PDB file of all heavy atoms in Angstrom:
ATOM      1  N   ALA A   1       0.735 -65.827   1.559  1.00 98.00           N
ATOM      2  CA  ALA A   1       0.280 -66.510   2.736  1.00 98.00           C
ATOM      3  C   ALA A   1       0.419 -68.057   2.540  1.00 98.00           C
ATOM      4  O   ALA A   1       0.802 -68.753   3.540  1.00 98.00           O
ATOM      5  CB  ALA A   1      -1.214 -66.204   2.975  1.00 98.00           C
ATOM      6  N   ALA A   2       0.279 -68.508   1.343  1.00 98.00           N
ATOM      7  CA  ALA A   2       0.475 -69.939   1.045  1.00 98.00           C
ATOM      8  C   ALA A   2       1.940 -70.332   1.310  1.00 98.00           C
ATOM      9  O   ALA A   2       2.229 -71.379   1.862  1.00 98.00           O
ATOM     10  CB  ALA A   2       0.088 -70.227  -0.390  1.00 98.00           C
ATOM     11  N   ALA A   3       2.865 -69.446   0.885  1.00 98.00           N
ATOM     12  CA  ALA A   3       4.279 -69.687   1.094  1.00 98.00           C
ATOM     13  C   ALA A   3       4.675 -69.630   2.563  1.00 98.00           C
ATOM     14  O   ALA A   3       5.654 -70.294   2.965  1.00 98.00           O
ATOM     15  CB  ALA A   3       5.124 -68.680   0.267  1.00 98.00           C
ATOM     16  N   GLU A   4       3.892 -68.901   3.346  1.00 98.00           N
ATOM     17  CA  GLU A   4       4.227 -68.707   4.782  1.00 98.00           C
ATOM     18  C   GLU A   4       3.693 -69.888   5.666  1.00 98.00           C
ATOM     19  O   GLU A   4       4.014 -69.951   6.820  1.00 98.00           O
ATOM     20  CB  GLU A   4       3.569 -67.433   5.366  1.00 98.00           C
ATOM     21  CG  GLU A   4       4.189 -66.173   4.760  1.00 98.00           C
ATOM     22  CD  GLU A   4       3.231 -64.984   4.887  1.00 98.00           C
ATOM     23  OE1 GLU A   4       2.124 -65.103   5.565  1.00 98.00           O
ATOM     24  OE2 GLU A   4       3.528 -63.921   4.289  1.00 98.00           O
ATOM     25  N   LEU A   5       2.887 -70.737   5.127  1.00 98.00           N
ATOM     26  CA  LEU A   5       2.298 -71.830   5.952  1.00 98.00           C
ATOM     27  C   LEU A   5       3.426 -72.734   6.504  1.00 98.00           C
ATOM     28  O   LEU A   5       4.424 -73.026   5.752  1.00 98.00           O
ATOM     29  CB  LEU A   5       1.308 -72.694   5.125  1.00 98.00           C
ATOM     30  CG  LEU A   5      -0.029 -72.047   4.821  1.00 98.00           C
ATOM     31  CD1 LEU A   5      -0.892 -72.966   3.953  1.00 98.00           C
ATOM     32  CD2 LEU A   5      -0.803 -71.752   6.067  1.00 98.00           C
ATOM     33  N   PRO A   6       3.312 -73.206   7.753  1.00 98.00           N
ATOM     34  CA  PRO A   6       4.390 -73.979   8.355  1.00 98.00           C
ATOM     35  C   PRO A   6       4.698 -75.272   7.603  1.00 98.00           C
ATOM     36  O   PRO A   6       3.751 -75.831   6.976  1.00 98.00           O
ATOM     37  CB  PRO A   6       3.826 -74.325   9.759  1.00 98.00           C
ATOM     38  CG  PRO A   6       2.400 -73.943   9.784  1.00 98.00           C
ATOM     39  CD  PRO A   6       2.222 -72.955   8.656  1.00 98.00           C
ATOM     40  N   ALA A   7       5.918 -75.754   7.686  1.00 98.00           N
ATOM     41  CA  ALA A   7       6.357 -76.906   6.928  1.00 98.00           C
ATOM     42  C   ALA A   7       5.673 -78.146   7.278  1.00 98.00           C
ATOM     43  O   ALA A   7       5.570 -79.122   6.452  1.00 98.00           O
ATOM     44  CB  ALA A   7       7.850 -77.079   7.092  1.00 98.00           C
ATOM     45  N   ASP A   8       5.051 -78.248   8.479  1.00 98.00           N
ATOM     46  CA  ASP A   8       4.353 -79.525   8.876  1.00 98.00           C
ATOM     47  C   ASP A   8       2.835 -79.359   8.812  1.00 98.00           C
ATOM     48  O   ASP A   8       2.110 -80.196   9.311  1.00 98.00           O
ATOM     49  CB  ASP A   8       4.817 -79.851  10.350  1.00 98.00           C
ATOM     50  CG  ASP A   8       4.407 -78.767  11.365  1.00 98.00           C
ATOM     51  OD1 ASP A   8       4.043 -77.641  10.896  1.00 98.00           O
ATOM     52  OD2 ASP A   8       4.445 -78.978  12.556  1.00 98.00           O
ATOM     53  N   ALA A   9       2.409 -78.358   8.103  1.00 98.00           N
ATOM     54  CA  ALA A   9       0.924 -78.129   7.981  1.00 98.00           C
ATOM     55  C   ALA A   9       0.282 -79.292   7.159  1.00 98.00           C
ATOM     56  O   ALA A   9       0.922 -79.889   6.280  1.00 98.00           O
ATOM     57  CB  ALA A   9       0.616 -76.799   7.257  1.00 98.00           C
ATOM     58  N   LYS A  10      -0.950 -79.554   7.592  1.00 98.00           N
ATOM     59  CA  LYS A  10      -1.752 -80.541   6.795  1.00 98.00           C
ATOM     60  C   LYS A  10      -2.894 -79.728   6.184  1.00 98.00           C
ATOM     61  O   LYS A  10      -3.787 -79.348   6.865  1.00 98.00           O
ATOM     62  CB  LYS A  10      -2.261 -81.655   7.714  1.00 98.00           C
ATOM     63  CG  LYS A  10      -1.146 -82.564   8.239  1.00 98.00           C
ATOM     64  CD  LYS A  10      -1.683 -83.684   9.088  1.00 98.00           C
ATOM     65  CE  LYS A  10      -0.556 -84.635   9.567  1.00 98.00           C
ATOM     66  NZ  LYS A  10       0.448 -83.924  10.332  1.00 98.00           N
ATOM     67  N   VAL A  11      -2.824 -79.564   4.843  1.00 98.00           N
ATOM     68  CA  VAL A  11      -3.711 -78.590   4.203  1.00 98.00           C
ATOM     69  C   VAL A  11      -4.791 -79.349   3.400  1.00 98.00           C
ATOM     70  O   VAL A  11      -4.521 -80.072   2.441  1.00 98.00           O
ATOM     71  CB  VAL A  11      -2.883 -77.664   3.275  1.00 98.00           C
ATOM     72  CG1 VAL A  11      -3.811 -76.665   2.593  1.00 98.00           C
ATOM     73  CG2 VAL A  11      -1.826 -76.977   4.062  1.00 98.00           C
ATOM     74  N   LEU A  12      -6.073 -79.043   3.726  1.00 98.00           N
ATOM     75  CA  LEU A  12      -7.148 -79.524   2.958  1.00 98.00           C
ATOM     76  C   LEU A  12      -7.439 -78.592   1.860  1.00 98.00           C
ATOM     77  O   LEU A  12      -7.629 -77.408   2.034  1.00 98.00           O
ATOM     78  CB  LEU A  12      -8.420 -79.682   3.869  1.00 98.00           C
ATOM     79  CG  LEU A  12      -9.702 -80.069   3.161  1.00 98.00           C
ATOM     80  CD1 LEU A  12      -9.687 -81.434   2.558  1.00 98.00           C
ATOM     81  CD2 LEU A  12     -10.899 -79.970   4.202  1.00 98.00           C
ATOM     82  N   LEU A  13      -7.432 -79.087   0.615  1.00 98.00           N
ATOM     83  CA  LEU A  13      -7.789 -78.232  -0.562  1.00 98.00           C
ATOM     84  C   LEU A  13      -8.266 -79.112  -1.704  1.00 98.00           C
ATOM     85  O   LEU A  13      -7.997 -80.319  -1.721  1.00 98.00           O
ATOM     86  CB  LEU A  13      -6.573 -77.341  -0.969  1.00 98.00           C
ATOM     87  CG  LEU A  13      -5.275 -78.011  -1.332  1.00 98.00           C
ATOM     88  CD1 LEU A  13      -5.272 -78.511  -2.759  1.00 98.00           C
ATOM     89  CD2 LEU A  13      -4.102 -77.021  -1.239  1.00 98.00           C
ATOM     90  N   ASP A  14      -8.915 -78.494  -2.612  1.00 97.00           N
ATOM     91  CA  ASP A  14      -9.399 -79.164  -3.781  1.00 97.00           C
ATOM     92  C   ASP A  14      -8.513 -78.796  -5.012  1.00 97.00           C
ATOM     93  O   ASP A  14      -8.639 -77.675  -5.501  1.00 97.00           O
ATOM     94  CB  ASP A  14     -10.897 -78.801  -4.066  1.00 97.00           C
ATOM     95  CG  ASP A  14     -11.456 -79.615  -5.262  1.00 97.00           C
ATOM     96  OD1 ASP A  14     -10.723 -80.388  -5.880  1.00 97.00           O
ATOM     97  OD2 ASP A  14     -12.626 -79.451  -5.546  1.00 97.00           O
ATOM     98  N   ARG A  15      -7.650 -79.737  -5.399  1.00 97.00           N
ATOM     99  CA  ARG A  15      -6.708 -79.454  -6.509  1.00 97.00           C
ATOM    100  C   ARG A  15      -7.465 -79.153  -7.829  1.00 97.00           C
ATOM    101  O   ARG A  15      -6.916 -78.438  -8.659  1.00 97.00           O
ATOM    102  CB  ARG A  15      -5.766 -80.653  -6.741  1.00 97.00           C
ATOM    103  CG  ARG A  15      -4.617 -80.702  -5.738  1.00 97.00           C
ATOM    104  CD  ARG A  15      -3.534 -81.675  -6.317  1.00 97.00           C
ATOM    105  NE  ARG A  15      -2.369 -81.663  -5.450  1.00 97.00           N
ATOM    106  CZ  ARG A  15      -1.934 -82.709  -4.775  1.00 97.00           C
ATOM    107  NH1 ARG A  15      -2.686 -83.853  -4.799  1.00 97.00           N
ATOM    108  NH2 ARG A  15      -0.858 -82.672  -4.020  1.00 97.00           N
ATOM    109  N   ALA A  16      -8.728 -79.559  -7.930  1.00 95.00           N
ATOM    110  CA  ALA A  16      -9.497 -79.238  -9.130  1.00 95.00           C
ATOM    111  C   ALA A  16     -10.006 -77.803  -9.117  1.00 95.00           C
ATOM    112  O   ALA A  16     -10.571 -77.319 -10.120  1.00 95.00           O
ATOM    113  CB  ALA A  16     -10.660 -80.239  -9.250  1.00 95.00           C
ATOM    114  N   CYS A  17      -9.826 -77.120  -8.013  1.00 96.00           N
ATOM    115  CA  CYS A  17     -10.327 -75.757  -7.838  1.00 96.00           C
ATOM    116  C   CYS A  17      -9.269 -74.758  -7.525  1.00 96.00           C
ATOM    117  O   CYS A  17      -9.208 -73.651  -8.109  1.00 96.00           O
ATOM    118  CB  CYS A  17     -11.429 -75.787  -6.767  1.00 96.00           C
ATOM    119  SG  CYS A  17     -12.275 -74.211  -6.610  1.00 96.00           S
ATOM    120  N   VAL A  18      -8.332 -75.123  -6.615  1.00 98.00           N
ATOM    121  CA  VAL A  18      -7.265 -74.208  -6.226  1.00 98.00           C
ATOM    122  C   VAL A  18      -6.261 -74.020  -7.305  1.00 98.00           C
ATOM    123  O   VAL A  18      -5.872 -75.008  -7.979  1.00 98.00           O
ATOM    124  CB  VAL A  18      -6.558 -74.726  -4.927  1.00 98.00           C
ATOM    125  CG1 VAL A  18      -5.371 -73.862  -4.555  1.00 98.00           C
ATOM    126  CG2 VAL A  18      -7.587 -74.789  -3.764  1.00 98.00           C
ATOM    127  N   ASN A  19      -5.929 -72.774  -7.651  1.00 98.00           N
ATOM    128  CA  ASN A  19      -5.062 -72.543  -8.771  1.00 98.00           C
ATOM    129  C   ASN A  19      -3.624 -72.976  -8.583  1.00 98.00           C
ATOM    130  O   ASN A  19      -3.149 -73.180  -7.465  1.00 98.00           O
ATOM    131  CB  ASN A  19      -5.140 -71.108  -9.265  1.00 98.00           C
ATOM    132  CG  ASN A  19      -4.429 -70.071  -8.377  1.00 98.00           C
ATOM    133  OD1 ASN A  19      -3.310 -70.205  -8.040  1.00 98.00           O
ATOM    134  ND2 ASN A  19      -5.147 -68.984  -8.075  1.00 98.00           N
ATOM    135  N   TYR A  20      -2.976 -73.282  -9.726  1.00 98.00           N
ATOM    136  CA  TYR A  20      -1.644 -73.882  -9.737  1.00 98.00           C
ATOM    137  C   TYR A  20      -0.634 -73.069  -8.950  1.00 98.00           C
ATOM    138  O   TYR A  20       0.256 -73.643  -8.256  1.00 98.00           O
ATOM    139  CB  TYR A  20      -1.151 -74.065 -11.199  1.00 98.00           C
ATOM    140  CG  TYR A  20       0.076 -74.827 -11.383  1.00 98.00           C
ATOM    141  CD1 TYR A  20       0.108 -76.211 -11.309  1.00 98.00           C
ATOM    142  CD2 TYR A  20       1.285 -74.136 -11.623  1.00 98.00           C
ATOM    143  CE1 TYR A  20       1.286 -76.937 -11.469  1.00 98.00           C
ATOM    144  CE2 TYR A  20       2.470 -74.882 -11.783  1.00 98.00           C
ATOM    145  CZ  TYR A  20       2.497 -76.253 -11.672  1.00 98.00           C
ATOM    146  OH  TYR A  20       3.665 -76.942 -11.849  1.00 98.00           O
ATOM    147  N   ARG A  21      -0.715 -71.773  -9.059  1.00 98.00           N
ATOM    148  CA  ARG A  21       0.264 -70.884  -8.372  1.00 98.00           C
ATOM    149  C   ARG A  21       0.208 -71.001  -6.837  1.00 98.00           C
ATOM    150  O   ARG A  21       1.284 -71.095  -6.178  1.00 98.00           O
ATOM    151  CB  ARG A  21       0.150 -69.398  -8.811  1.00 98.00           C
ATOM    152  CG  ARG A  21       1.347 -68.629  -8.302  1.00 98.00           C
ATOM    153  CD  ARG A  21       1.242 -67.131  -8.620  1.00 98.00           C
ATOM    154  NE  ARG A  21       1.435 -66.883 -10.020  1.00 98.00           N
ATOM    155  CZ  ARG A  21       1.485 -65.669 -10.605  1.00 98.00           C
ATOM    156  NH1 ARG A  21       1.335 -64.620  -9.781  1.00 98.00           N
ATOM    157  NH2 ARG A  21       1.650 -65.475 -11.863  1.00 98.00           N
ATOM    158  N   ILE A  22      -0.959 -71.088  -6.313  1.00 98.00           N
ATOM    159  CA  ILE A  22      -1.162 -71.215  -4.894  1.00 98.00           C
ATOM    160  C   ILE A  22      -0.439 -72.506  -4.425  1.00 98.00           C
ATOM    161  O   ILE A  22       0.371 -72.465  -3.477  1.00 98.00           O
ATOM    162  CB  ILE A  22      -2.616 -71.238  -4.451  1.00 98.00           C
ATOM    163  CG1 ILE A  22      -3.213 -69.840  -4.591  1.00 98.00           C
ATOM    164  CG2 ILE A  22      -2.813 -71.662  -3.008  1.00 98.00           C
ATOM    165  CD1 ILE A  22      -4.685 -69.652  -4.285  1.00 98.00           C
ATOM    166  N   CYS A  23      -0.825 -73.619  -5.055  1.00 98.00           N
ATOM    167  CA  CYS A  23      -0.186 -74.937  -4.616  1.00 98.00           C
ATOM    168  C   CYS A  23       1.342 -74.949  -4.894  1.00 98.00           C
ATOM    169  O   CYS A  23       2.040 -75.527  -4.099  1.00 98.00           O
ATOM    170  CB  CYS A  23      -0.863 -76.062  -5.383  1.00 98.00           C
ATOM    171  SG  CYS A  23      -2.416 -76.505  -4.585  1.00 98.00           S
ATOM    172  N   ASN A  24       1.768 -74.307  -5.933  1.00 97.00           N
ATOM    173  CA  ASN A  24       3.166 -74.271  -6.254  1.00 97.00           C
ATOM    174  C   ASN A  24       3.972 -73.498  -5.213  1.00 97.00           C
ATOM    175  O   ASN A  24       5.169 -73.702  -5.004  1.00 97.00           O
ATOM    176  CB  ASN A  24       3.322 -73.523  -7.593  1.00 97.00           C
ATOM    177  CG  ASN A  24       4.396 -74.298  -8.474  1.00 97.00           C
ATOM    178  OD1 ASN A  24       4.728 -75.440  -8.218  1.00 97.00           O
ATOM    179  ND2 ASN A  24       4.939 -73.586  -9.400  1.00 97.00           N
ATOM    180  N   ASN A  25       3.245 -72.561  -4.487  1.00 98.00           N
ATOM    181  CA  ASN A  25       3.938 -71.771  -3.453  1.00 98.00           C
ATOM    182  C   ASN A  25       3.997 -72.474  -2.078  1.00 98.00           C
ATOM    183  O   ASN A  25       4.671 -72.025  -1.133  1.00 98.00           O
ATOM    184  CB  ASN A  25       3.165 -70.451  -3.249  1.00 98.00           C
ATOM    185  CG  ASN A  25       3.530 -69.456  -4.320  1.00 98.00           C
ATOM    186  OD1 ASN A  25       4.203 -69.748  -5.334  1.00 98.00           O
ATOM    187  ND2 ASN A  25       3.093 -68.186  -4.103  1.00 98.00           N
ATOM    188  N   LEU A  26       3.277 -73.664  -1.931  1.00 98.00           N
ATOM    189  CA  LEU A  26       3.360 -74.374  -0.680  1.00 98.00           C
ATOM    190  C   LEU A  26       4.692 -75.099  -0.561  1.00 98.00           C
ATOM    191  O   LEU A  26       5.235 -75.596  -1.529  1.00 98.00           O
ATOM    192  CB  LEU A  26       2.203 -75.427  -0.633  1.00 98.00           C
ATOM    193  CG  LEU A  26       0.800 -74.910  -0.618  1.00 98.00           C
ATOM    194  CD1 LEU A  26      -0.216 -76.055  -0.757  1.00 98.00           C
ATOM    195  CD2 LEU A  26       0.493 -74.108   0.593  1.00 98.00           C
ATOM    196  N   LYS A  27       5.181 -75.168   0.650  1.00 98.00           N
ATOM    197  CA  LYS A  27       6.486 -75.890   0.895  1.00 98.00           C
ATOM    198  C   LYS A  27       6.304 -77.370   0.509  1.00 98.00           C
ATOM    199  O   LYS A  27       5.239 -77.941   0.730  1.00 98.00           O
ATOM    200  CB  LYS A  27       6.892 -75.773   2.358  1.00 98.00           C
ATOM    201  CG  LYS A  27       7.245 -74.317   2.806  1.00 98.00           C
ATOM    202  CD  LYS A  27       7.574 -74.305   4.283  1.00 98.00           C
ATOM    203  CE  LYS A  27       7.886 -72.858   4.762  1.00 98.00           C
ATOM    204  NZ  LYS A  27       6.711 -72.010   4.892  1.00 98.00           N
ATOM    205  N   ASP A  28       7.332 -78.005   0.013  1.00 97.00           N
ATOM    206  CA  ASP A  28       7.264 -79.379  -0.424  1.00 97.00           C
ATOM    207  C   ASP A  28       6.896 -80.296   0.709  1.00 97.00           C
ATOM    208  O   ASP A  28       6.336 -81.409   0.476  1.00 97.00           O
ATOM    209  CB  ASP A  28       8.624 -79.825  -1.065  1.00 97.00           C
ATOM    210  CG  ASP A  28       8.910 -79.129  -2.359  1.00 97.00           C
ATOM    211  OD1 ASP A  28       7.907 -78.601  -2.998  1.00 97.00           O
ATOM    212  OD2 ASP A  28      10.023 -79.084  -2.858  1.00 97.00           O
ATOM    213  N   SER A  29       7.326 -80.015   1.942  1.00 98.00           N
ATOM    214  CA  SER A  29       7.061 -80.885   3.083  1.00 98.00           C
ATOM    215  C   SER A  29       5.617 -80.903   3.554  1.00 98.00           C
ATOM    216  O   SER A  29       5.194 -81.743   4.385  1.00 98.00           O
ATOM    217  CB  SER A  29       7.975 -80.496   4.226  1.00 98.00           C
ATOM    218  OG  SER A  29       7.696 -79.159   4.599  1.00 98.00           O
TER     219      SER A  29
END
């Protein structure tokens, strides 16, 4: 689902809590 998020999404998350793999799966844009 993280990988499927649109390229122009603005995602609120807490990097101190969300695991590395989830963030790694987000598109660079």
Side-chain angles (χ1 to χ4, degrees):
E4 291 158 9
L5 287 175
D8 61 349
K10 292 182 177 60
V11 182
L12 174 64
L13 57 82
D14 184 356
R15 281 196 175 112
C17 187
V18 174
N19 72 51
Y20 187 79
R21 189 182 290 184
I22 288 177
C23 278
N24 222 21
N25 280 10
L26 296 173
K27 295 178 180 76
D28 290 343
S29 59

